[in-house]
Amino acid sequence: MKAMLQERFGPPETLRLADIDRPEAGTGQVLVRVRAASLNPYDWHMLRGDPYVARLMGGVGLTRPKCRVAGIDAAGEVVAVGADVRAFQPGDEVLGFCPGSFAEYARTTADLLVPKPARLTFEQAAAVPMGAVTALRGIRTVGKAQAGHRVLINGAGGGVGTFAVQIAAALGAEVTGVCSARNAELVRSLGAAHVVDYIREDFTAGREHYDLILDNVGHHPLGRLRRVLTPAGTLVANGGGSPGRVFGVVGHTLRLIAADAFARQHLRVIIPTAPAGSTREDLLAVTALIEAGRLAPVVGRTYPLADAAEGVRHVEEGHARGKAVVTVP
């Protein structure tokens, strides 16, 4: 099969298209014929081995990327199932987390997959897993948004942000989206009652206060973010950061934990990494919202498999509109 290999740490150009052996489904595993795979900041973190401290912690690999084939999100068709798999059978259309998804075939475990909603194309379905699950955890699970809450989403036009706006609106919150002017109409159409153009206005300098802030960008000092939280409000930082940092999100996480110990406000961090904890339940929750017509993926750019490196570069630059997706013929 054809696959995008990441055999050493480096920039997106490090990715190499090659022919390798197709994986087989072992006990409890599912082999998926990948039709589309979405791009995430996770992908360039893994490729660059960033932040450097994560290499020592075992998060990305020590001397080379932990997974030889790039990618984590996928949508496609089940080709084969291993022993003990009862939830799926060959021919089923699925979406979920498939390590090594920048390839024609990827192997994963049954608990990381859910049926693909029939209303979605494979490209739309591939955009769901990490982006929608991260948004769900940030808004509902950790942020505990409720009807009537004032919720601000910084980075509302991006991969996580476009899902987060819709989820917060579906919960009955009054949503403010911070994004570029070119994404303003999109963010309004997703359910935001208010839109702030970050080029023209600094929301942390305003008079409005919010019950929940989901920060997908990380460019504002913690003190300024807390200034526009209500006294018992919640800040949820969606970990990420710029390439090449030694500590990156790990350092940011430690600072928030330290500050939270002395604050009445709630300071939390979610880190979009390889799936962990309640993953299938979260995937089922977001696909239920999709089936109910309350959540829809926003696909910005698409790239053929051979151009996956260009897609990683685009996401790494930090200005992607919605989700970028790799198509696999």
Side-chain angles (χ1 to χ4, degrees), residues 204-264:
T204 68
R207 296 183 178 181
E208 301 295 336
H209 290 79
Y210 303 93
D211 301 291
L212 169 63
I213 295 175
L214 174 61
D215 185 13
N216 298 308
V217 181
H219 289 168
H220 293 87
L222 176 58
R224 293 189 66 85
L225 291 169
R226 291 184 60 188
R227 179 188 167 292
V228 291
L229 273 180
T230 58
T234 300
L235 167 66
V236 179
N238 173 17
S242 301
R245 292 185 175 180
V246 175
F247 293 100
V249 69
V250 177
H252 185 51
T253 299
L254 293 176
R255 288 193 295 273
L256 276 177
I257 291 173
D260 181 63
F262 302 96
R264 181 183 173 191

Side-chain angles (χ1 to χ4, degrees), residues 49-65:
D50 172 279
Y52 300 137
V53 71
R55 302 186 193 184
L56 300 177
M57 299 168 63
V60 300
L62 184 58
T63 61
R64 62 177 59 88

Side-chain angles (χ1 to χ4, degrees), residues 97-159:
F97 295 96
C98 298
S101 62
F102 293 177
E104 291 178 322
Y105 296 87
R107 179 177 55 195
T108 190
T109 54
D111 61 316
L112 298 181
L113 295 173
V114 295
K116 179 182 81 67
R119 66 194 301 153
L120 298 185
T121 65
F122 283 119
E123 290 80 8
Q124 291 173 317
V128 170
M130 188 167 286
V133 166
T134 301
L136 183 77
R137 291 175 178 175
I139 295 296
R140 191 187 72 174
T141 309
V142 177
K144 303 186 187 309
Q146 299 178 21
H149 276 183
R150 293 173 59 81
V151 175
L152 181 137
I153 297 163
N154 191 20

Side-chain angles (χ1 to χ4, degrees), residues 23-46:
E24 300 295 331
T27 301
Q29 295 179 328
V30 178
L31 182 64
V32 176
R33 173 59 167 98
V34 179
R35 296 300 179 184
S38 72
L39 293 139
N40 298 284
Y42 171 89
D43 299 312
W44 61 256
H45 279 295
M46 291 296 295

